[in-house]
Amino acid sequence: MTQTPTTGDDAPTFSVALADGDVSAFDLEDALGDGPVVLAFFPGAFTPPCTSEMGALQDHLDEFRDAGATVYGVSADSPLSQNVFREREGLEFGLLSDMGRSAIGAYGLEIDIDDLGLIGVANRAVFVVDEDGTIAYDWVAEDPTNEPDYEELLAEVKNL
């Protein structure tokens, strides 16, 4: 498995599908340069911890936007499932569908959650990528049911 990048490393780039009500192509390189990019990897849509995390990011979305940041959730779910999840949960930010595990693999986050039958999903993690493509903040859960410290995350984004 690829080593997980940390603060100061170049952010691995990737191309996946973007679910934002529609489905389109997304390339991380194209998203850089317009302010920080927050990549919130999560195991799976519709699960309680992931729903809680995405809801918390939505609750802080105006603050992230005020800081110039763009937020994306990243999971191995299909973009069609992600769009249903976005609508059901009232999420106003895009979700990145990594069904091929290219981003999950590049960030060293692939895990199995055997008791739920989830194989090759993303561990819960958050990376903030600055305009130059450098990781400015990283957090990786020791247990995928844990959530990040949203106030710490927001403070790091505001410091960029």
Side-chain angles (χ1 to χ4, degrees):
M1 182 160 93
T2 302
Q3 184 167 342
T4 302
T6 60
T7 300
D9 291 345
D10 289 336
T13 58
F14 56 88
S15 298
V16 295
L18 168 64
D20 61 358
D22 290 316
V23 177
S24 59
F26 173 89
D27 190 304
L28 180 59
E29 286 185 37
D30 294 339
L32 299 176
D34 293 330
V37 174
V38 177
L39 300 172
F41 289 84
F42 64 101
F46 304 104
T47 61
C50 299
T51 300
S52 174
E53 179 187 20
M54 294 300 111
L57 291 171
Q58 177 63 43
D59 290 345
H60 292 287
L61 189 58
D62 287 340
E63 294 169 272
F64 283 113
R65 288 178 174 162
D66 288 347
T70 306
V71 175
Y72 296 100
V74 186
S75 74
D77 297 296
S78 77
L80 302 175
S81 293
Q82 288 179 335
N83 272 332
V84 172
F85 181 60
R86 283 183 74 253
E87 184 174 332
R88 183 176 118 183
E89 299 304 323
L91 304 178
E92 298 171 14
F93 55 91
L95 299 179
L96 302 177
S97 172
D98 188 21
M99 292 178 66
R101 279 49 170 198
S102 61
I104 294 166
Y107 282 75
L109 297 173
E110 191 168 322
I111 62 167
D112 297 337
I113 305 174
D114 295 325
D115 56 337
L116 297 178
L118 300 174
I119 307 302
V121 297
N123 189 16
R124 190 172 320 283
V126 179
F127 297 89
V128 176
V129 183
D130 70 16
E131 293 183 25
D132 298 322
T134 302
I135 295 177
Y137 172 83
D138 70 278
W139 175 85
V140 179
E142 290 184 25
D143 176 335
T145 62
N146 293 341
E147 293 183 43
D149 181 328
Y150 300 104
E151 297 304 324
E152 177 183 276
L153 171 60
L154 190 56
E156 291 294 331
V157 169
K158 287 180 178 179
N159 283 335
L160 294 179

